[in-house]
Amino acid sequence: MTPEIALTNGGRLPLAAIPVLPFPEFASGVIDLIRHSATPIAYFADQPAPEAPPELFAVLTAATPGTFTVLRSRLAPGFTSLTTRAPQLHLFEREIAEQYGIAASDHPWLKPVRFHSVWHGTTDAWGRDPGRHPQPGVMDFFRVEGAEIHEVGVGPVHAGIIEPGHFRFQCFGEKVLHLEISLGYQHRGIERLLLGGPWPQTPSQIETMAGDTTVGHMTAYSLVLEGLTGTVAPPRAQALRAVALELERLANHVGDIGALAGDVGFLPTASYCGRLRGDYLNMTAAICGSRFGRGLVRPGGVLFDLEPARQARLLQTLADIVPNTRGALSLFFEAPSVLGRLEGVGKVLTDDALGLGLVGVAARACGLDCDTRRAFPVAPYTTENVPAITEASGDVFARARVRQREIEHALAFVRQALENLPAGPIATPLTALPADTLALGLVEGWRGRLAHIALTDAQGRFRRYKVIDPSFFNWSGLAMALRDEQISDFPLCNKSFNLSYCGFDL
Amino acid sequence: MLRILYERFQQGYRTSPFPKQEPTLPDRFRGLPRLHPERCAAGCRECAQGCPFGAIREQHGALALDLGRCLFCADCHACPHGALEFSTDYRLAVRRREELTITADRGPVLAAPLDAPLKELFGRSFKLRQVSAGGCNACEADVNVLGTLVFDLGRFGIQFVASPRHADGILVTGPVTENMREALLATYAAVPEPKVVIATGACAINGGPFSNAPEVHNGVGALLPVDLFIPGCPPHPYTILDGLLRLLGRREVAD
Ligand code: SF4
């Protein structure tokens, strides 16, 4: 059994405390933990210095509730793929191959993730010319053969105002046998830009990894920096962050229900939710000037306070839009014609959700009680003040219903938090970042778990900064949901996940 | 049915009276920056170093700010002496890249309408294809929101369409990642002539938070001729709407 290295959410570990295991021991440690129902949070490589050999890090949930284990090894060519034993890791291994040019052997579907050149060295895992930028979407797609099988390719540019991505369906008539999703079109190279950071540009880049999750990602980043420096944001700042995080959830969940309503042709809810989503965004703008919460959260605390009058105005706005929100949602969920379109469509089995490591709304809709706010709470969240919201059916309906219930909870939470804002300062100054330390920050964004991990070098700069947006895991869930569905139900299934392209592409 | 009608009544009428009436923006909204050179200490040029995106520089001895690079940061570190403040003025869109540079006494040159033949063609019916080319989805979201009943874009004859072949132009968001370059150019090529290009957001104008990153092209202007620049990160929906209406000659220049 591997010695347990315990880490908490927002905590840190000196890198020297993490033993470098021989790869076989590392691999069996990771697989053992996953067999004993640990959740893999991250699996990534890091090259401490240009000449130094690259290393592997795996962060998983540990047996002691609320804690994590970190395993470390060396990354050497021909390291064995763990994907067949732990499919949750499939994309991580593809990512390592793409970033470091070192391919895991026996990976069942080792393909590029984001289509960029290797970070270090000149060996491309797919033998492409390292001097030229790879072509996005050029990879071996899974193909179903057969006289009556046809293929449908969509994107990167889609109909509508939406981010780019390429989808390839293997169809038998209307029926989708397999969907493969190839992304990377939004790749801005964020993780690489963060190397050697934090830079003056870093906060803006963190806030725009996935612009609809500005508060979530910036809070995760703040937890990491606070963890590194041993700082705790003051209670008032923590409460304001939570208000903003829940407003982000409200805006997006309400918008998503509206989008689902639009897709099934139920126009009243589509129209009302479109406007209500804006009202929640405007509440965030009333706090910090930006509808997306830009500039609100910063390491150490928040930049904007609420004076009593503003606090009262926000509570009033909330009281005004709660009935409209409930009305728009109940209209939707009470219409038999709507339910008929949602139920049984785009089903993901619980086992598949577990196997693929799905997170957030998509996982909870498959009956998995996984919510960072409950499992790894950072104040003001506690295991008690966030209920377990799960649905069993794993279909479009379940994903919609989870959102509706989370909207109800968030409404109550925001009101409660605004009514009981702790007094005191809104920020604690940060000290310089320590050398050779690892820190972890997890946040339950509106789509699901956001994980940020920083490793500092001898100068206290980021030698690696790893980001895992919930969409990293969940795109595979969408592909599963389409199996044996009608291709015409793709838009509906897609909206029920509403995943981020840029959060995945980074 | 009655339930639906009842709810309709409860939800009320929500379309904004814009542009007949000016919108009210939140007091903390960061719109058009104002420069106060009188607050500058003699010889101080800290701001030129202070902005991580190089939005501020000296131009002919005066302080100049490039709205195309500005991200309207809440913690603007540029000037420690208060010589730069944000106003709540949301009107920012211009026709030419250099018109985004403002000084203490010269604001942005708000967009003039399209020239006569194009204005004739597009003034009452303007169809756009949106291309997201590395955007963070916030610009996209605040373009999308124009279709909600609050803004009701359709009443101005403006519509986002699915096919570039049905479009009169493209509205681009994002810094144009290398991975989207080809798709962007192909989409542009598929739009019939005459056509316009609208760069929406700091990314599309100059790369935004990702300017000079190796994977991006610092905006659409590096690849295509741009007819309208809409600054902001993201621009407020009213900033976008104002820009579109100006382009079509549907707002008075003095408004
Ligand atoms: S300009 Fe800002 S809001 Fe718009 S896409 Fe770029 S980063 Fe996102």
Side-chain angles (χ1 to χ4, degrees), chain B residues 195-219:
Chain B
K195 50 188 161 190
V196 300
V197 176
I198 301 171
T200 303
C203 278
I205 299 175
N206 206 76
F210 306 97
S211 63
N212 299 327
E215 290 283 341
V216 312
H217 287 276
N218 282 359

Side-chain angles (χ1 to χ4, degrees), chain A residues 208 294, chain B residues 135-140 174 201-203 209-210 232-234:
Chain A
T208 55
R294 300 281 156 87
Chain B
C136 76
N137 204 24
C139 274
E140 289 81 350
C203 278
F210 306 97
C233 183

Side-chain angles (χ1 to χ4, degrees), chain B residues 59-212:
Chain B
Q59 205 183 44
H60 316 303
L63 214 53
L65 187 148
D66 180 356
L67 290 175
R69 290 173 185 257
C70 182
L71 301 187
F72 303 76
C73 300
D75 46 353
C76 176
H77 298 296
C79 175
H81 311 288
L84 192 165
E85 276 172 353
F86 292 102
S87 72
T88 54
D89 191 345
Y90 65 94
R91 302 161 309 163
L92 302 168
V94 308
R95 293 291 308 276
R96 290 208 307 260
R97 180 68 184 88
E98 60 277 13
E99 292 169 346
L100 286 171
T101 298
I102 60 164
T103 61
D105 25 58
R106 203 193 59 232
V109 186
L110 294 181
L114 289 165
D115 291 339
L118 286 188
K119 193 179 149 195
E120 277 293 291
L121 264 175
F122 300 149
R124 290 161 59 88
S125 161
F126 190 41
K127 312 284 177 203
L128 290 168
R129 167 69 245 198
Q130 203 272 326
V131 182
S132 166
C136 76
N137 204 24
C139 274
E140 289 81 350
D142 268 351
V143 170
N144 227 338
V145 84
L146 296 178
T148 64
L149 44 82
V150 178
F151 301 92
D152 194 10
L153 195 61
R155 71 193 151 126
F156 304 107
I158 308 173
Q159 198 192 344
F160 286 92
V161 292
S163 169
R165 302 213 187 273
H166 301 159
D168 303 314
I170 57 174
L171 184 149
V172 183
T173 52
V176 188
T177 51
E178 171 55 20
N179 284 348
M180 267 306 283
R181 183 179 49 88
E182 224 184 285
L184 169 68
L185 295 179
T187 309
Y188 177 74
V191 178
E193 297 276 1
K195 50 188 161 190
V196 300
V197 176
I198 301 171
T200 303
C203 278
I205 299 175
N206 206 76
F210 306 97
S211 63
N212 299 327

Side-chain angles (χ1 to χ4, degrees), chain A residues 158 185-186 211 287 298 310, chain B residues 27-28 75 129 134 136 177:
Chain A
H158 308 272
Y185 297 90
Q186 303 284 68
I287 301 176
R298 283 294 179 270
R310 193 177 299 269
Chain B
D27 59 332
R28 285 177 174 171
D75 46 353
R129 167 69 245 198
C136 76
T177 51

Side-chain angles (χ1 to χ4, degrees), chain A residues 169-349:
Chain A
F169 300 85
Q170 311 292 318
C171 300
F172 176 67
E174 271 285 293
K175 191 159 133 189
V176 179
L177 299 178
H178 182 74
L179 160 63
E180 187 156 0
I181 303 171
S182 181
L183 303 177
Y185 297 90
Q186 303 284 68
H187 180 60
R188 297 146 291 171
I190 296 182
E191 284 191 353
R192 208 173 171 189
L193 293 174
L194 291 170
L195 293 176
W199 305 106
Q201 295 90 334
T202 298
S204 306
Q205 293 173 351
I206 300 278
E207 288 189 327
T208 55
M209 288 176 163
D212 51 26
T213 313
T214 295
V215 175
H217 274 295
M218 197 55 189
T219 304
Y221 174 76
S222 299
L223 286 178
V224 165
L225 261 65
E226 289 158 12
L228 281 172
T229 53
T231 316
V232 179
R236 189 172 175 86
Q238 289 181 326
L240 289 169
R241 282 180 186 176
V243 166
L245 188 70
E246 297 308 319
L247 285 173
E248 196 166 83
R249 195 178 322 278
L250 281 165
N252 284 294
H253 279 5
V254 168
D256 283 351
I257 302 272
L260 283 170
D263 240 54
V264 301
F266 193 70
L267 298 186
T269 299
S271 315
Y272 307 149
C273 284
R275 153 327 252 194
L276 288 160
R277 174 180 166 278
D279 287 345
Y280 291 107
L281 294 176
N282 289 340
M283 283 181 73
T284 303
I287 301 176
C288 70
S290 155
R291 287 157 52 90
F292 295 88
R294 300 281 156 87
L296 174 57
V297 180
R298 283 294 179 270
V302 292
L303 285 183
F304 292 89
D305 205 351
L306 295 187
E307 66 277 21
R310 193 177 299 269
Q311 190 176 341
R313 272 205 308 280
L314 282 168
L315 278 164
Q316 188 53 52
T317 311
L318 189 65
D320 291 343
I321 56 181
V322 165
N324 287 164
T325 306
R326 290 208 176 112
L329 296 192
S330 61
L331 207 55
F332 181 70
F333 283 98
E334 283 163 20
S337 59
V338 167
L339 299 179
R341 280 295 281 122
L342 307 184
E343 285 170 353
V345 178
K347 205 167 156 60
V348 179
L349 300 176

